[in-house]
Amino acid sequence: MVKSHDAVLDKFKETAKPIIEKLTEFIEEFKNKRTPLAIITHQNADPDAISSASELEKYLEKHKVLVEIIADEDTFPRETKVIVNEIGIDIKPVKDFNKDKYARIILVDAPSISQSNINIKDIKPDLIIDHHRDEDPYESTATIITLLMTVLGFELDKDMATALYVGLEIDTIGLTSGKFTDFDKLAYKILAPLLNFELRIKIIQAGYSPSYLKMLENAISESKYFFHEGSTVISGVGYIEDKQRTDLAKIANYLLLMDGVEKV
């Protein structure tokens, strides 16, 4: 039975109650204050991470809260660079981060600072918005942010909706993931009518670098099947640099589309 739009949103409100309460607390405490909040996302920030961070920044700034996005632009994949340049997202470099400057820390699209691989030490986030734990009922952080903006009554513009859509699209393997939940489906339905198709094409087509295609070639030619409690692909792609981590994740998602494959 397909759940209704309102039923899914009601369930989301219940699931995301701690996030909503924290954001309300931040707005009440830091509205019109000069001390900014920091939104930090993971190394090699993909479209899911950067679109989620940017939309959250827009929401808080609408409520007169100062916010800065902290990320490592040097490791951005091509899709993310297009999003940042086309939409005009202001990024503060990780190397200039000073925790004493910020009133609160929000971590987006990573379950912890250590797992974000970002070069920042000795900080504890005041709020984490993420989807990577096994128990999380979402396949993308874009899903969480989209539904948050919906229940909070904050209107998405076309460009940000497009960036969030691409984040959702990539993280759910073209909307085909086996874990694609009712929350993800509703986020898709909300975002799809708002798409800027020209921007989406620019973002998607930016992702095929020569290094990515070489990795994909290696992954396919070296793949081997091992059957143990389902089908697993084990494949080598050769030596990669740190900035290619996001490409590696995309290739793993691609291999998951093979018949009978459950794990890569």
Side-chain angles (χ1 to χ4, degrees):
M1 180 178 178
V2 177
K3 294 183 180 177
S4 72
H5 180 288
D6 290 341
V8 176
L9 275 186
D10 286 342
K11 181 63 177 176
F12 175 77
K13 287 179 188 177
E14 179 184 331
T15 304
K17 186 177 179 181
I19 297 174
I20 296 170
E21 289 177 347
K22 269 293 182 184
L23 292 177
T24 302
E25 175 189 315
F26 292 163
I27 291 169
E28 291 175 352
E29 187 174 357
F30 299 106
K31 186 175 183 178
N32 294 319
K33 298 288 178 66
R34 290 184 142 186
T35 305
L37 279 61
I39 297 177
I40 299 174
T41 189
H42 58 79
Q43 190 88 333
N44 309 97
D46 57 1
D48 186 40
I50 211 67
S51 64
S52 297
S54 182
E55 185 60 30
L56 183 59
E57 176 192 38
K58 286 178 178 291
Y59 172 74
L60 290 170
E61 288 186 339
K62 179 71 173 179
H63 290 278
K64 311 298 183 185
V65 178
L66 286 178
V67 183
E68 292 182 356
I69 298 175
I70 313 298
D72 188 352
E73 288 190 89
D74 290 340
T75 67
F76 282 177
R78 291 187 174 196
E79 300 100 322
T80 302
K81 290 177 181 177
V82 172
I83 290 171
V84 169
N85 293 333
E86 291 289 328
I87 296 178
I89 301 172
D90 186 25
I91 305 293
K92 303 298 181 185
V94 170
K95 63 183 178 62
D96 295 337
F97 178 79
N98 178 356
K99 65 180 179 181
D100 295 330
K101 176 183 176 181
Y102 299 100
R104 296 288 185 272
I105 305 292
I106 303 173
L107 181 63
V108 169
D109 202 34
S112 68
I113 289 292
S114 62
Q115 289 172 278
S116 74
N117 294 313
I118 204 78
N119 189 25
I120 295 176
K121 309 296 182 186
D122 302 323
I123 66 167
K124 182 179 180 182
D126 299 279
L127 173 63
I128 296 174
I129 302 177
D130 182 50
H131 70 98
H132 287 98
R133 298 173 304 174
D134 289 340
E135 64 268 27
D136 289 329
Y138 325 98
E139 274 283 74
S140 77
T141 304
T143 294
I144 304 171
I145 295 297
T146 299
L147 298 187
L148 266 178
M149 297 303 104
T150 302
V151 301
L152 294 171
F154 188 69
E155 187 175 351
L156 295 163
D157 66 47
K158 279 185 168 291
D159 287 352
M160 278 309 308
T162 302
L164 288 163
Y165 181 94
V166 173
L168 171 62
E169 191 176 19
I170 291 173
D171 276 31
T172 58
I173 321 173
L175 312 177
T176 65
S177 166
K179 285 180 63 180
F180 200 52
T181 69
D182 286 332
F183 295 127
D184 299 308
K185 291 174 187 176
L186 180 55
Y188 164 72
K189 289 178 182 178
I190 292 168
L191 295 171
L194 300 173
L195 281 182
N196 175 338
F197 288 97
E198 290 184 2
L199 177 58
R200 178 181 172 272
I201 289 170
K202 284 183 180 179
I203 298 169
I204 294 296
Q205 289 184 343
Y208 300 109
S209 65
S211 62
Y212 169 80
L213 294 174
K214 183 62 179 175
M215 287 170 63
L216 181 59
E217 177 190 11
N218 289 343
I220 293 172
S221 65
E222 296 296 328
S223 61
K224 306 272 184 197
Y225 274 106
F226 294 88
F227 294 89
H228 178 67
E229 297 181 350
S231 183
T232 299
V233 169
I234 298 176
S235 181
V237 297
Y239 174 80
I240 66 167
E241 297 180 4
D242 186 61
K243 65 183 180 181
Q244 295 174 288
R245 284 173 182 254
T246 303
D247 283 345
L248 190 63
K250 286 194 295 183
I251 288 168
N253 284 344
Y254 184 87
L255 293 177
L256 280 170
L257 296 175
M258 296 169 68
D259 288 342
V261 172
E262 298 176 2
K263 188 180 295 183
V264 174

